[in-house]
Structures are given as C-alpha cells and as structure tokens.
Amino acid sequence: MSRVLVVATWGFPGNWLKERYSAAVPPANVDKWHRLSEWSIGGYVEAHSPTPVEAKALSEMGFDVGVVVYALDSLSAVPRLSVPSDDDVRGKLVEELNKYVDGWLNKDPEGYGEVRGRAEKVAGLFVSGYFGEVGFPLDKVSTVVLPGTGVYALGPGSKGKRYVFRGSPQNAAVAMELDLLERVDAFKPDAVVFDSTHGINYLPIVAKRVVERVARVYSALEGRKVCVATVQSDTPAGGLAGLELGVMVVDVKVFSASPREVLEELLPHFDSEPYRMLKKDEKVKPPDSLKELRKEFGELKEVKPLAKALVELAGYGLTLYLCSKVRELAGGDFSSMAGRLLERVRGALYERDVASGGEVRVEHVYAFSDSVPGVLEAVYVLGRVVPRLAELCGVDEQGFMGVDRLLEVGRSLGLTRLGERLLGYEVSDVKRRVSAARDAGIELEGRVVPYAAVYDAVEGLLRKEGVGDSVRREAVEKFKEILGRGVKCDVDARNFYAHAGLERNVVEVKVQGGSVYVRYREECMENVRSVVEKG
C-alpha cells in the first residue's frame, strides 16, 4: 500500500462556508502521478474545506494517508463571530470559539507558551470539526502552529483587543521545514499532496517551497523518487455557500536526488550565519537560546570537511579512498548532532517576546537564515548515508574489499557522470587484467600482490591478438621481475584521478574464490592522502 502525506496551510477557518467540493483523483499507481492527463475529478462532497475531502478521496482509493495542517500562532487573536443558523457544523464550532474569545478578552496571555497554546486550541477545534464531518480519522491528522506575523484583533470587530505579531516569514519557513523533515522521515510517504487553497498572506508560497525542498532531501535519504502534487480549490465567490467547487492539480514534480547532489547543494550553508537581528538597535540583544544555537552551529561546522570530501571524491569515482574515510568516521553520532541542533532551534523559535498593555505584542527580534535547515538536512543525510556506506565499505581480515563493491558504494552515494564512467571502466579493467594474468599462468589465488605487477605484466597480452605460449611466459617472467625489484609508492595526481583512485602503484590485489579484491598499500597511504588533499 502506497503512503501519501497530505500537507495543508490553513488561515482562519471560522469564516469558511459549507460548499460542495470534488477531489482531484490521481492514478492508483504513484509512479504515474506526473502524468496530469491521468488525473480525474471525484464526486462532490459537502464540506467546509477541500483538504479533508482530498484526504478522504485518497484514503478511499486505498492509499495509507496521513495529514498535517500548518497554521500560524496569530490564531490566538481571532474575531468573535455570529453563530450561523443554517450550518450545524460551523455553528457548533463558532459557539465553542466564542467561548474561547470571551475568556481570553479578560486575560492577556502570560508568555508565548500561552499564545501558542491558544492558537493550537483554535486550529485543533476546526481541524477536528472539518475532518470529522467527512468521516476522515482524526488520529491520522496532526496540527502544527508556526510563528506568524501581522496585526489582528481578538474579539468583536473594532472593540477587539489588538495583537501585533512581529518577526519574519523565514522563521515560519524554518519551523515548518524542521517539523516536516522529521515527519516525512517517520511517515515515509511515496507521494506528498500539498493543498495550497487556504493559508494566509505568505504561508502557501513559503510552504510550497518547503515541501519541495524536504521532498528532495527525503528522496536522497531513501534513495528513491518522491512525487509532490500541488492542488488548489476554486475560491468561493461573494460569500456564497453550496457552490460546486473542484480541487485542481496545479503542479506535479518528481524529486530524485542522490546524497551527493543534496550535500553539494547544502555545503554553502555551513559558511553562513544561522540568524540575523531584525532590529539594528544595539540595546536589543539576542536571547540566550540564540547564543546557544550559534555555539551548536559552530560545532556542527566540523562535519563540513566530511560532507565536502564525500562530494569531491564522488566527483571522480574515488570510492576506494572514500571507503577508507568512511570507516574512520562510521562511529560519528550524527543523530545526536541533529537532535541537539533541532532542540536549540526549537528553543529559539518558541521564545517569542510577549508584551501586554494597550495591545499585545508578540515578537521575534531575529530572523533565521536558510543555513539552519540547510545544515540540519546535511547532518540528516550524513547520518543516513555514512552508516550505509560503512556497511558497503566492509573489509575482510586483511583490509580488502571486493572490487565490485566499489560500484555499489558509488551507486549508494550517487556519483557524477564522470565519476561513474571512470570508476566503471577501472573496475572492469582491474578484473580484465587479473583474468588475463591468471590465463597466462600467474598464480594469484590467495596471494596479495601489488596491482602494478599484474598491470604491467599483462600489458603485452592485452595488446596482442592470438597470444601464444611465448607471450604468456614473458608475462609470467615480467610479473616475477616486478615482484623481485618491488614497486615504489610513486603516485602521479593526474593518473590517480584518471584511474578513479585505482592507481597501480598504490593498490594491492588478491583473488579469493575467483573474486577480485583490492586495498591501498599501507606504506603508500601517506602519498595517497597527500594527492587527495591537494585535489
């Protein structure tokens, strides 16, 4: 059963009227979702929002559906509404909402925790009511409140209490991205449907960018394609209820990125500041949570060399050397690193200044930068890919790994086209030369020999057609001669990169059970490191 995560942004749901919505119906096979011609229109369902209608339709098709609704903390300052007499569902919800408003008018919030709690209460009230009316299971719906901006009034019209939310849309984007990254990684969807119908101000635009960015990172984490379909319903005109409105497919994108591609995109974030102050006033100091975040952020920059190394080594298919690096760092606790950063960011996000008086001010004095989710995503990718690579890079008791395993390592990380060509050719060439050596009568089974001895010994064999006994004897004699005089650790940088790190002077080979294994010569490792570090 394919899994679909429905993501929606909601503004203030108290004013939404009951309409007749028809869902956008995708193909049963997620792999065909990108074909817009295969989407169809479902039957009409009476509801106050297209989000639950779309979720219900997907569930009835047999998809395992999860839903997350993102709202803003400005829902803590909502108007007092007239109770509709012709809408039982919304009428009951409005009655309950008005009770909240009446109670809050007499008591300003004490701190941001109470502001956020009030917003969660309003959002949860309408999410329960609107999803419940179409019969969608509420235990599959989550509601998340993000930090918002804008000016709103709590209570009845012009007599309401003025609330001013100051900050940056970027903080809402960061909060959403961190939540969605964890949520997607836990739910593991095959596709994501983003409903952009509702929302307020910038929220739908910000959310679409976040959903697509997380989908790309997630595709790298899981090593598979992830489809994102953006849908949107017609907007009711003139405050009329009972209209027939369709949910339309606006855009469908398929994301398929390798860990190497994602890490390469995220590398610049390690060099950026995690936040900027919105006020230039020197008297306005960053909260302690931001100071702790900056320290944590600085420590995480230590993983940049690893991320950079993986990207650069994959560029030339240097998987044998890459494996030596991965084995050194396989014990790194990337999950703890990500967890600490996440804790610091959330601590700062949920530390908004709240001041009461003639009006209530809810404020962030700073704006996060893209570098915060960027670095966190890089750590997430490293945390997933390094253990996977460490397993593929496993060696025997002598430190050898199968030459074919180098290709698996490359596929797991995602090589560049150049790296893929170089490594593919070199792996084939190693096997070809070992096979030629064995055909010539050179005994390699169970022996550890410099690859240069094999490489040079069979050069004549591979260049001639119709090889006779004399040529084979020459190959055997040359092999013995090279072993006798030894092979120096001379390594030319150009040759090293051109041969995907399988440069003959620094590599040893052995044959075990007919399979070919390779490793770097221990005495040559210093030279190898020097070449790689110089680039």
Side-chain angles (χ1 to χ4, degrees):
M1 179 188 297
S2 296
R3 292 188 148 198
V4 178
L5 180 66
V6 176
V7 179
T9 53
W10 281 19
F12 175 48
N15 290 323
W16 299 347
L17 304 180
K18 180 180 286 188
E19 313 291 356
R20 287 168 52 79
Y21 290 101
S22 61
V25 180
N29 184 348
V30 171
D31 292 335
K32 296 182 179 180
W33 278 29
H34 66 284
R35 302 177 185 173
L36 295 180
S37 61
E38 297 199 22
W39 286 66
S40 59
I41 300 173
Y44 287 103
V45 178
E46 286 193 341
H48 290 82
S49 166
T51 308
V53 174
E54 189 67 30
K56 180 77 178 297
L58 291 167
S59 182
E60 289 176 344
M61 289 182 66
F63 292 111
D64 182 6
V65 180
V67 181
V68 55
V69 174
Y70 290 99
L72 297 179
D73 54 10
S74 53
L75 283 180
S76 58
V78 293
R80 198 179 196 287
L81 301 177
S82 298
V83 178
S85 59
D86 56 349
D87 188 336
D88 290 342
V89 172
R90 193 166 72 93
K92 292 177 181 177
L93 296 175
V94 168
E95 285 180 351
E96 190 66 22
L97 175 70
N98 287 342
K99 292 178 184 177
Y100 296 163
V101 172
D102 291 343
W104 297 340
L105 274 171
N106 299 319
K107 183 180 181 297
D108 288 342
E110 296 180 2
Y112 183 61
E114 190 169 351
V115 171
R116 194 159 175 263
R118 291 179 179 185
E120 289 173 343
K121 204 167 184 178
V122 172
L125 173 69
F126 285 95
V127 164
S128 298
Y130 291 165
F131 277 87
E133 74 174 330
V134 303
F136 189 82
L138 296 180
D139 61 350
K140 293 197 171 191
V141 185
S142 300
T143 307
V144 179
V145 169
L146 309 174
T149 61
V151 180
Y152 306 89
L154 173 68
S158 60
K159 296 180 180 180
K161 180 87 173 188
R162 178 182 162 103
Y163 276 62
V164 180
F165 293 81
R166 290 182 175 173
S168 167
Q170 183 62 16
N171 291 349
V174 169
M176 181 179 177
E177 191 158 349
L178 299 188
D179 177 83
L180 192 58
L181 185 63
E182 281 194 315
R183 196 173 297 278
V184 164
D185 194 35
F187 187 67
K188 302 194 180 303
D190 300 286
V192 178
V193 173
F194 170 52
D195 178 12
S196 60
T197 303
H198 303 305
I200 188 168
N201 300 334
Y202 52 81
L203 191 54
I205 298 173
V206 165
K208 187 175 189 297
R209 179 173 64 88
V210 167
V211 168
E212 293 180 351
R213 177 166 162 168
V214 168
R216 180 169 171 77
V217 172
Y218 176 65
S219 73
L221 289 174
E222 292 295 308
R224 58 188 176 89
K225 296 178 181 178
V226 180
C227 179
V228 176
T230 299
V231 301
Q232 185 168 17
S233 170
D234 298 325
T235 303
L240 298 176
L243 298 177
E244 292 186 345
L245 305 174
V247 180
M248 300 168 291
V249 186
V250 178
D251 181 39
V252 178
K253 293 181 180 178
V254 178
F255 294 90
S256 179
S258 69
R260 189 263 314 164
E261 289 172 324
V262 170
L263 286 173
E264 188 170 20
E265 290 175 2
L266 297 177
L267 277 175
H269 291 300
F270 283 93
D271 299 320
S272 301
E273 287 296 316
Y275 65 89
R276 62 184 174 85
M277 298 300 291
L278 294 174
K279 292 185 176 181
K280 302 301 182 182
D281 189 345
E282 293 183 359
K283 295 180 181 179
V284 179
K285 302 296 183 182
D288 291 341
S289 55
L290 280 186
K291 296 176 183 177
E292 294 172 357
L293 170 64
R294 185 186 288 277
K295 179 181 178 183
E296 195 73 48
F297 201 78
E299 292 175 357
L300 275 178
K301 289 186 178 182
E302 295 178 6
V303 306
K304 181 186 176 181
L306 171 60
K308 187 177 180 182
L310 292 181
V311 169
E312 293 178 347
L313 295 175
Y316 291 92
L318 304 180
T319 53
L320 183 59
Y321 184 79
L322 184 150
C323 279
S324 67
K325 294 290 291 182
V326 165
R327 285 192 291 269
E328 292 175 9
L329 298 162
D333 193 351
F334 296 100
S335 294
S336 293
M337 293 180 191
R340 290 196 302 271
L341 179 60
L342 198 57
E343 182 181 343
R344 299 300 187 203
V345 174
R346 283 182 174 152
L349 281 170
Y350 302 140
E351 191 177 315
R352 300 192 80 175
D353 296 329
V354 178
S356 299
E359 63 182 16
V360 176
R361 292 178 176 270
V362 183
E363 187 172 26
H364 271 146
V365 295
Y366 64 90
F368 279 125
S369 69
D370 272 348
S371 63
V372 171
V375 168
L376 183 69
E377 286 160 359
V379 176
Y380 259 96
V381 172
L382 289 172
R384 188 68 55 84
V385 76
V386 169
R388 188 188 304 159
L389 291 176
E391 185 175 346
L392 290 174
C393 290
V395 295
D396 63 15
E397 64 280 357
Q398 292 180 298
F400 280 90
M401 64 181 294
V403 71
D404 286 323
R405 188 62 67 85
L406 297 177
L407 297 174
E408 293 183 50
V409 171
R411 284 191 290 268
S412 181
L413 179 59
L415 303 180
T416 61
R417 289 185 179 181
L418 174 62
E420 194 174 347
R421 286 199 300 270
L422 290 175
L423 181 63
Y425 177 82
E426 289 304 318
V427 167
S428 296
D429 197 47
V430 169
K431 293 163 71 175
R432 183 171 67 113
R433 289 177 184 275
V434 168
S435 177
R438 298 182 76 189
D439 289 344
I442 297 174
E443 183 54 53
L444 295 176
E445 184 73 29
R447 295 178 67 185
V448 176
V449 299
Y451 179 42
V454 174
Y455 189 101
D456 292 342
V458 301
E459 189 70 14
L461 286 170
L462 297 177
R463 288 181 178 177
K464 298 178 181 179
E465 296 182 5
V467 177
D469 290 342
S470 62
V471 178
R472 292 191 180 92
R473 284 194 295 272
E474 288 177 11
V476 173
E477 291 304 315
K478 189 164 188 177
F479 177 77
K480 291 179 179 177
E481 184 264 324
I482 294 172
L483 287 185
R485 61 177 163 82
V487 178
K488 294 181 180 180
C489 290
D490 296 336
V491 52
D492 175 75
R494 185 175 179 180
N495 277 342
F496 184 84
Y497 281 92
H499 291 278
L502 297 175
E503 209 279 338
R504 65 183 187 272
N505 288 336
V506 296
V507 171
E508 291 176 317
V509 297
K510 77 170 181 178
V511 177
Q512 196 79 40
S515 298
V516 182
Y517 295 81
V518 293
R519 73 179 181 189
Y520 283 120
R521 296 168 58 195
E522 186 175 350
E523 62 271 26
C524 299
M525 278 307 297
E526 193 61 38
N527 288 7
V528 170
R529 289 193 192 95
S530 177
V531 168
V532 173
E533 288 172 3
K534 288 178 182 177

